[in-house]
Amino acid sequence: MVTWGGIADDFTGATDLAGNWVARGLRTVVTLGVPDAADRAAFAAADAVVVALKSRTAPAGTAVGESLAALEALRGLGVEHVYQKYCSTFDSTATGNIGPVADALMAALGTELAVVVPSFPATGRTVYRGHLFVGDRLLSDSSMRHHPLTPMTRSDLPGLLGPQTAHRVAAIPLPVLRAGADRLRDELDRLRRPNDPVLVVVDAVDEEDLAVIARATAAHPLVTGGSGLALGLPPAAPAHEAMPVEQGHPLILAGSASTATRAQIAHARQAGTPARKLDIDDLRADLGAAVARLVDEVTAHWVEATDAPFLIHAVENAEDIRRETPQGARPAGELVEEALAECARRLTAAGARRLIVAGGETSGSVVQALGVRRLELGPPLAPGVSWAHGVAGDGRAYNLALKSGNFGATDILTEGWRALG
Ligand SMILES: Nc1ncnc2c1ncn2[C@@H]1O[C@H](COP(=O)(O)OP(=O)(O)OP(=O)(O)O)[C@@H](O)[C@H]1O
Ligand SMILES: O=C(O)[C@@H](O)C(=O)CO
């Protein structure tokens, strides 16, 4: 029986949440886009289903529409609890869609209260006195301050959420939940008022805090947050033993420009991983020809070394993303996404079956290019990153690890393969 339903605003976020549920013993399936009734049989053995959307930077109306469609599909599966998954760094703008989606899900589920819990301590995201920290820095002092699409220039969650929601926003500080789940439940009840919905930011700095929140909200139809709150469920044996492992060439596609990904690329190159950086001028001049040259290079490498991964990446240093787009030319980001999607299509046709993909947007384009619509979760490579298995419409099967830009240790691109066994 499907108990939990997740609605994630990007593909890496979806596998992040799914991986945490798997770690708590829930058999979890990710569906890439809203499933239709014909897909229902695929979820028969699942305890949890996550619908992966590509809505993080979509206009609020679009994100609300897609999220409500996802909710409808999840209700059709009989889910009891819904988890709105957004980024653990609360990626959004004042006109962002985290608030509007939460408002709409609350209305559809007939609930007047939902918690807001971006905290994910295993990846350094914690919330204290309503402020979101990344490691030992406030969010607004972290590299997220300079994010090209969702620059996070403040850290107080009520202040970030307020302009996005029509509802009241309240906050519960750490000492309340450190007094236990009953005390937190009482405080949540105190904040609940008829016909006056409220979003409640709850502090959490470690996994025990998340466990308290999970216990206090166990009967809630809706929770919202990063994936950390899923780890608040009671410990259990991980439910990933059934994931098939595919034989075939390994490939790394990194469109992410995040600080962590850049360090991971540098490490992989230093460790001798054969690699090629996309040349934006070449892509602009003739994308098809540039990709064809790359495909020839990668396939020649595989003739020599079948099992050695090849890395194709977009960015090496911060200057790469600061380059101006010439007047009338296609933006670099668009070229990168199209080129990586085309590399994925052509290199899987040439035998790539195991892929690490870095970046949320990049993962969306790559998985769509492969035509994979569902992923079953396997073992983790890092907190928030897991191997998954998916079968495309053409029958080809893949192992995919979709890595959020800022997740993973420096050596994840060279060592992450070991988790496949
Ligand atoms: N040289 C470049 N110039 C401009 N944009 C680029 C360049 N290289 C990559 N990009 C774009 O930057 C975006 C990176 O977004 P993506 O979501 O894939 O990674 P991220 O933001 O690091 O990760 P996440 O969303 O998981 O935190 C992509 O749309 C990609 O096309
Ligand atoms: O929550 C996170 O940080 C990630 O799952 C993510 O959403 C980054 O794209």
Side-chain angles (χ1 to χ4, degrees):
M1 195 181 72
V2 186
T3 306
W4 278 97
I7 302 174
D9 65 358
D10 79 349
F11 283 25
T12 44
T15 55
D16 171 14
L17 173 60
N20 284 353
W21 272 336
V22 165
R24 290 295 176 265
L26 304 188
R27 286 162 302 171
T28 307
V29 179
V30 173
T31 144
L32 304 156
V34 178
D36 48 42
D39 295 326
R40 199 168 285 187
F43 308 115
D47 304 306
V49 171
V50 184
V51 180
L53 301 176
K54 209 169 176 292
S55 58
R56 181 161 298 170
T57 54
T62 309
V64 165
E66 290 178 3
S67 303
L68 289 176
L71 176 66
E72 204 46 44
L74 291 169
R75 279 172 146 173
L77 297 175
V79 305
E80 291 165 13
H81 306 286
V82 174
Y83 195 128
Q84 179 194 351
K85 162 69 179 69
Y86 38 79
C87 193
S88 61
T89 44
F90 212 75
D91 296 15
S92 55
T93 63
T95 55
N97 62 48
I98 295 176
V101 169
D103 293 1
L105 293 177
M106 285 168 77
L109 288 162
T111 181
E112 307 246 290
L113 182 147
V115 289
V116 174
V117 185
S119 179
F120 187 5
T123 59
R125 279 68 158 155
T126 56
V127 177
Y128 183 68
R129 298 274 163 190
H131 285 69
L132 180 52
F133 288 80
V134 177
D136 52 11
R137 287 167 183 263
L138 282 166
L139 174 65
S140 52
D141 293 331
S142 75
S143 60
M144 289 306 297
R145 182 176 192 88
H146 305 292
H147 193 283
L149 301 176
T150 52
M152 303 308 293
T153 55
R154 57 193 295 183
S155 312
D156 60 313
L157 289 160
L160 284 164
L161 191 54
Q164 294 183 28
T165 174
H167 298 338
R168 251 182 321 135
V169 180
I172 296 184
L174 198 62
V176 173
L177 60 143
R178 290 274 164 104
D182 290 342
R183 173 80 179 83
L184 176 57
R185 212 176 286 116
D186 290 348
E187 188 62 16
L188 290 169
D189 286 343
R190 201 184 59 77
L191 288 166
R192 214 184 277 273
R193 288 184 212 145
N195 305 317
D196 185 13
V198 63
L199 283 162
V200 187
V201 175
V202 187
D203 281 0
V205 303
D206 63 26
E207 262 176 35
E208 184 46 38
D209 297 330
L210 295 170
V212 170
I213 301 171
R215 284 201 293 278
T217 57
H220 288 200
L222 174 70
V223 295
T224 86
S227 68
L229 184 54
L231 292 174
L233 293 174
H240 59 59
E241 66 292 331
M243 186 190 81
V245 175
E246 296 300 324
Q247 299 309 311
H249 305 304
L251 177 67
I252 306 166
L253 298 173
S256 159
S258 296
T259 315
T261 305
R262 293 207 304 268
Q264 290 157 355
I265 290 167
H267 178 273
R269 295 192 71 130
Q270 272 156 21
T273 305
R276 187 61 65 199
K277 181 172 120 180
L278 294 174
D279 183 318
I280 303 296
D281 295 330
D282 279 0
L283 295 179
R284 214 167 253 143
D286 187 342
L287 191 138
V291 169
R293 283 194 297 276
L294 253 171
V295 167
D296 286 346
E297 183 178 354
V298 179
T299 47
H301 158 75
W302 281 334
V303 172
E304 305 285 318
T306 307
D307 283 332
F310 195 103
L311 162 64
I312 301 175
H313 62 101
V315 168
E316 194 155 21
N317 49 49
E319 278 65 56
D320 289 328
I321 32 176
R322 286 201 205 106
R323 288 183 51 188
E324 297 281 315
T325 304
Q327 187 110 35
R330 282 182 75 192
E334 218 177 279
L335 293 166
V336 164
E337 282 197 32
E338 187 180 329
L340 290 178
E342 191 54 26
C343 284
R345 246 180 244 117
R346 299 188 52 174
L347 288 167
T348 51
R353 291 292 179 273
R354 293 174 282 153
L355 284 82
I356 298 180
V357 187
E361 291 299 317
T362 309
S363 295
S365 326
V366 166
V367 171
Q368 280 171 351
L370 297 185
V372 171
R373 291 187 46 213
R374 259 190 313 277
L375 292 172
E376 278 167 48
L377 267 281
L381 302 74
V385 192
S386 295
W387 280 106
H389 183 264
V391 182
D394 60 11
R396 286 189 195 129
Y398 303 102
N399 288 117
L400 297 168
L402 309 182
K403 187 195 83 69
S404 283
N406 276 316
F407 282 178
T410 308
D411 62 1
I412 192 170
L413 302 182
T414 52
E415 299 304 308
W417 306 97
R418 290 183 199 280
L420 262 186

